[in-house]
Amino acid sequence: MTQISIFEILGPIMVGPSSSHTAGAVRIGLAARKILGEVPKKANIYFHGSFATTYWGHRTDIAIIAGLLGMEVDDPSIPNAKHLACQQGLVFDFHSIDLGEYHPNSVKLILEGSENRVEIIGSSIGGGRIKISSLDGFDIDCDGSYSVLIVKHRDEPGIIAEITEALATHRVNIAFLEVSRKQRGSTALLVAQTDNPITEKIVATVKELYGVLQVRSFPSFF
Amino acid sequence: MELTTAKGLLEQAELTKKSIADLVAEYEAFLTNTTVEHIRLKMGEILGTMRFSIEEGKKDAGKFAHLAKGYGLKTNEARLQGNLIGGPIIEKIIVYSLAVAQSNASLGRIVACPTAGSCGVLPGALLPIAEELQASDEEIIDSLLVAAGIGTISASQGPISGAEGGCQAETGVASAMAAGAIAYLAKGSNHDIFNAASLALQNLLGLVCDPVAGLVEIPCITRNAGAAVNSLVAVNLTFAGVPCHIPFDETVQAMKSIGRLMDFSLRETSQGGLATTPTGKRLYQELREKHRLED
């Protein structure tokens, strides 16, 4: 289990009204923007559980948009996020969904930018803390405390070793490493959470490796 | 170093002869690779925002709130006019806690502790006592560290969101944090801190999260005042020698299992409790209609 910072409990300093439904939602939006790696142009937002039934009252809708626009949880412009989104050319749509066993405060985001598209499930787990639980259909577990390298690759021997070696060569220490796949011999996903930032050079190196299909990286969220 | 159980923290305090505040600051400094001075500075910023939110909430007429408007303003005026009863401390606790919770509902800037819905409890209970005791900012910052430690321990073992554990996980944990902080500020022992925290949480176990129209307003704002006064009750029971019997860690475990037994309709879904009373439903419908027209 990741250790909890006391300022996640006595904090964050934020704009109301709800740490889970407002601040957590801003952070999920912000995390999603960072995972996409560019300014989102189109966002389809699917609310699950408590988010689906109470989003309007807690302004979860406005909060997610604020995060997608790059705002932090204490940004005084949060109440105007929808208006600002229209000005900045972000098209968004809200839906309800039953995601099954996910945390009751969860949202699925399908984001499109000029180049990338990403599908994320994020959960707001209390007091403004969040967790990204799924990325492009793969289960991940990422709370934003670390830099993250995500590699989609062929499910073949030796590829994971090459990726971790590339990190080692650049003196990047891995805190957590997860590998998963949809089925044997198809596409697999590697998620490395690291103590050191993932530089563009590392991303370029990993992209060149045999069997690597797609590489994403993003810094710690907070 | 870990900060996951009260038992562990108390043992460490016994072993090292350090205060709970120092141990919590050291934990955070280690976790974030900074210094305890930096942690205390950051906590000073938290204290500043708490004071800011009290002052804002005392003036706020509820422009951005949907249903609950001006509770901080009303109680503050009533206090200044001498219309409240219970003595200056209780009256201040009511005003401060309502002011912060009202500011939150009005999209103001607050400190979530542990959540935004329960943000009035800790500043509302602690700061009036600090003013009464004429405590320095350094002493208040140390008692906020104690509160943060109690909250972190709770979050390590149980839920701190209404969606997972009901209101007990929000105002209950907030009240435990405030009780521990007050016990520390009033020179209680380490044992007193967790006895008071445990009693405060025990008093609020089982409290459901049933917000009217899904807003952090009714009954959330007034529950902040209830939980804040409850902290003072817990501290006074402790100073009188009333034991909590069930230790803090086990109380958190009880809170967690109660949360699991709590029906979905009573965990921040607005599908039960006050939210589905005839009046609760009517208020919701009226707001939805108003919102549709504005869109």
Side-chain angles (χ1 to χ4, degrees):
Chain A
M1 195 182 105
T2 315
Q3 288 184 306
I4 301 168
S5 159
I6 63 167
F7 293 108
E8 288 297 310
I9 304 300
L10 223 173
I13 294 173
M14 56 167 280
V15 168
S18 166
S19 46
S20 55
H21 289 61
T22 318
V26 172
R27 284 178 166 176
I28 291 172
L30 194 58
R33 179 188 168 105
K34 289 188 176 172
I35 294 172
L36 182 71
E38 59 174 310
V39 176
K41 301 265 179 219
K42 196 173 159 196
N44 271 294
I45 299 155
Y46 300 82
F47 288 126
H48 161 81
S50 167
F51 268 9
T53 52
T54 66
Y55 76 89
W56 166 76
H58 293 318
R59 276 114 164 163
T60 311
D61 47 349
I62 293 169
I64 290 270
I65 302 289
L68 291 174
L69 294 178
M71 291 184 209
E72 301 282 348
V73 293
D74 64 342
D75 195 313
S77 307
I78 289 172
N80 299 323
K82 279 188 178 175
H83 182 66
L84 292 168
C86 295
Q87 279 181 354
Q88 293 173 26
L90 169 65
V91 182
F92 54 87
D93 212 351
F94 294 101
H95 319 267
S96 280
I97 195 170
D98 182 356
L99 294 169
E101 286 302 297
Y102 283 93
H103 188 284
N105 291 336
S106 290
V107 58
K108 177 172 158 175
L109 296 169
I110 302 178
L111 297 187
E112 287 168 44
S114 311
E115 288 172 17
N116 303 321
R117 180 186 186 278
V118 73
E119 219 178 291
I120 291 160
I121 296 176
S123 306
S124 178
I125 58 173
R129 292 183 303 137
I130 65 159
K131 193 171 91 167
I132 302 298
S133 322
S134 167
L135 177 67
D136 290 339
F138 290 95
D139 288 338
I140 63 168
D141 184 357
C142 162
D143 71 354
S145 337
Y146 297 89
S147 294
V148 177
L149 177 74
I150 296 171
V151 185
K152 209 185 272 185
H153 60 91
R154 289 206 192 105
D155 185 25
E156 287 175 29
I159 297 176
I160 293 168
E162 296 239 14
I163 297 168
T164 54
E165 198 188 310
L167 288 171
T169 308
H170 289 88
R171 308 291 303 155
V172 171
N173 188 47
I174 301 174
F176 302 97
L177 182 69
E178 278 181 277
V179 287
S180 59
R181 64 179 182 191
K182 283 180 176 161
Q183 66 190 60
R184 188 174 168 181
S186 70
T187 317
L189 193 80
L190 174 145
V191 181
Q193 302 193 54
T194 64
D195 292 323
N196 320 78
I198 312 279
T199 60
E200 277 179 33
K201 206 170 160 194
I202 297 173
V203 172
T205 309
V206 175
K207 266 185 184 161
E208 293 303 312
L209 295 175
Y210 166 78
V212 167
L213 304 170
Q214 192 187 29
V215 183
R216 283 212 179 96
S217 78
F218 51 90
S220 60
F221 306 146
F222 320 118
Chain B
M1 182 185 166
E2 277 202 346
L3 189 55
T4 54
T5 63
K7 191 168 172 280
L9 184 59
L10 285 168
E11 280 170 4
Q12 213 165 358
E14 179 69 35
L15 203 72
T16 58
K17 305 288 171 213
K18 287 179 183 168
S19 73
I20 300 284
D22 281 342
L23 287 171
V24 172
E26 282 174 19
Y27 162 83
E28 185 67 15
F30 181 76
L31 186 70
T32 53
N33 202 16
T34 50
T35 60
V36 290
E37 290 77 21
H38 174 78
I39 301 306
R40 285 198 158 85
L41 213 64
K42 219 171 148 185
M43 199 53 97
E45 217 178 291
I46 295 274
L47 175 59
T49 306
M50 283 178 166
R51 286 182 172 141
F52 168 83
S53 62
I54 290 171
E55 289 315 310
E56 288 296 298
K58 279 200 276 192
K59 290 181 286 189
D60 184 81
K63 191 181 159 204
F64 285 111
H66 295 278
L67 296 167
K69 293 175 189 285
Y71 290 6
L73 183 79
K74 277 178 202 165
T75 44
N76 189 44
E77 279 178 358
R79 184 174 94 85
L80 295 176
Q81 288 161 7
N83 293 338
L84 301 184
I85 56 163
I89 288 281
I90 296 284
E91 292 170 17
K92 257 193 192 176
I93 290 178
I94 293 168
V95 173
Y96 287 14
S97 55
L98 285 178
V100 177
Q102 177 74 66
S103 186
N104 176 59
S106 306
L107 311 187
R109 219 157 163 266
I110 53 92
V111 180
C113 52
T115 65
S118 57
C119 67
V121 180
L122 176 59
L126 179 64
L127 295 181
I129 305 283
E131 287 167 16
E132 174 71 13
L133 297 174
Q134 296 184 323
S136 66
D137 278 7
E138 287 71 26
E139 289 170 315
I140 303 173
I141 285 166
D142 272 4
S143 53
L144 287 175
L145 283 165
V146 171
I150 292 167
T152 303
I153 287 166
S154 306
S156 303
Q157 299 182 58
I160 51 159
S161 72
E164 259 186 297
C167 193
Q168 58 166 2
E170 299 200 26
T171 56
V173 170
S175 190
M177 290 165 67
I182 293 169
Y184 182 88
L185 194 65
K187 310 273 188 272
S189 66
N190 290 346
H191 169 267
D192 288 344
I193 291 169
F194 282 99
N195 194 82
S198 191
L199 282 172
L201 182 54
Q202 286 176 23
N203 281 357
L204 295 172
L205 283 183
L207 196 61
V208 302
C209 180
D210 52 352
V212 169
L215 306 169
V216 195
E217 296 189 17
I218 303 169
C220 318
I221 297 179
T222 54
R223 271 188 196 162
N224 272 262
V229 174
N230 177 59
S231 318
L232 193 57
V233 173
V235 175
N236 279 311
L237 289 172
T238 298
F239 286 173
V242 175
C244 63
H245 293 289
I246 312 297
F248 185 70
D249 294 323
E250 291 181 43
T251 304
V252 172
Q253 292 298 329
M255 189 259 291
K256 183 180 182 178
S257 65
I258 293 167
R260 285 205 175 132
L261 291 168
M262 214 177 260
D263 191 71
F264 178 73
S265 63
L266 300 170
R267 285 184 284 119
E268 211 173 346
T269 54
S270 293
Q271 292 174 6
L274 292 171
T276 51
T277 55
T279 306
K281 285 197 268 193
R282 178 177 56 77
L283 289 168
Y284 174 66
Q285 288 307 331
E286 286 172 8
L287 277 172
R288 280 314 299 249
E289 195 49 42
K290 193 174 152 216
H291 185 67
R292 246 194 303 276
L293 293 174
E294 280 171 4
D295 263 7

